[in-house]
Amino acid sequence: EAARAFGSAQRHFELAIDLWPRVRASERPTGWSRARLRMRAAENAILVSEPSRAVRLARQALEEPDQESPAAIHERLGWYQLLLGNDEESLAHASKAVELTTSEPSPEAARILASLGLHLMLLSRYEDSKRTCERAIEVARASGAVVEEGRALNPLGIDLAMLGNPERGIELLRSSIAIAERAGTLDDLCRAYVNLSDVLENSGRVQEALEVTERGIEVAR
């Protein structure tokens, strides 16, 4: 992973999964579980464009007795299914993740709510997404989860633009970019650049959209 050799990392994590039951519990690496190994392998599978494999690994993680957060796994499963174009399954997993999340503010709760908001936005359910993203931001601020706040600002910016307030949407998307830049969360950053350029273009601000797109390409490279 550190060398960005994600395909090799995936294979090594899957080898660790196979070796896991053959090693005494007392001799296994601390801080790890078989479920965590499966999810780490799944994330690397996504990075080498194998969402089907990621879905299989995540489903297996849900069945592991040592899995720590089924809500977090459902959230990731929703994203993997979205990448496969399975909108209904994707939304079902994102909704299940929220259902399994405690009512207490936490970074995980904020992240899961932001993820549901993103799913709803991508399905053009802008009012539902707006409410969900606003709740995610409340939870993020209550738990000091700045990255998750930025993640929720992103789809909320699109929601507001599509609901007739593009200027406020642009403002929120710029805030999302600033948070992602400080945190170094590349997925969030690239998504925010794409969404901001779209809103600018649809608002007739084509030159600004072009500048944002060129900056986004530079950042992605």
Side-chain angles (χ1 to χ4, degrees):
E1 280 184 335
R4 294 174 173 79
F6 303 117
S8 295
Q10 176 197 329
R11 289 190 293 275
H12 282 84
F13 279 124
E14 293 202 42
L15 177 58
I17 292 165
D18 292 338
L19 290 171
W20 195 259
R22 296 162 57 184
V23 178
R24 290 187 192 137
S26 60
E27 296 175 354
R28 293 170 186 161
T30 57
W32 286 91
S33 65
R34 207 173 185 199
R36 183 171 291 184
L37 284 169
R38 291 193 190 281
M39 291 309 298
R40 195 69 162 265
E43 288 295 296
N44 279 276
I46 288 298
L47 291 170
V48 292
S49 300
E50 291 192 26
S52 295
R53 193 175 192 88
V55 166
R56 178 177 61 79
L57 286 160
R59 283 176 172 162
Q60 291 170 344
L62 276 176
E63 297 172 1
E64 292 286 357
D66 59 7
Q67 52 92 4
E68 299 158 15
S69 175
I73 296 174
H74 276 290
E75 185 273 319
R76 297 313 295 157
L77 251 175
W79 180 245
Y80 304 158
Q81 292 284 13
L82 190 66
L83 294 175
L84 283 169
N86 299 330
D87 293 344
E88 289 188 13
E89 286 188 59
S90 173
L91 183 59
H93 282 294
S95 300
K96 182 67 174 178
V98 171
E99 180 185 322
L100 293 172
T101 304
T102 65
S103 59
E104 293 298 316
S106 69
E108 180 176 280
R111 183 174 64 253
I112 287 170
L113 282 164
S115 180
L116 177 58
L118 174 64
H119 282 74
L120 291 167
M121 181 274 286
L122 291 171
L123 294 172
S124 301
R125 291 173 55 179
Y126 302 117
E127 287 283 4
D128 292 337
S129 175
K130 177 177 175 291
R131 286 191 294 271
T132 304
C133 290
E134 288 172 342
R135 175 59 182 153
I137 291 167
E138 289 177 7
V139 173
R141 290 174 177 170
S143 57
V146 178
V147 170
E148 284 71 22
E149 179 182 346
R151 194 165 289 170
L153 286 170
N154 191 331
L156 181 57
I158 293 286
D159 295 332
L160 292 177
M162 296 303 293
L163 292 169
N165 192 352
E167 291 304 317
R168 181 58 176 159
I170 289 167
E171 182 183 337
L172 295 187
L173 284 161
R174 291 194 189 279
S175 296
S176 179
I177 286 175
I179 291 172
E181 282 180 337
R182 289 196 298 270
T185 49
L186 184 60
D187 282 353
D188 294 339
L189 187 56
C190 290
R191 190 175 303 118
Y193 270 113
V194 169
N195 289 342
L196 177 58
S197 66
D198 282 348
V199 173
L200 287 167
E201 182 184 6
N202 291 334
S203 301
R205 296 159 64 173
V206 179
Q207 182 59 41
E208 285 183 75
L210 177 60
E211 291 168 3
V212 167
T213 301
E214 288 175 339
R215 173 60 181 157
I217 290 170
E218 181 185 337
V219 167
R221 282 176 176 160

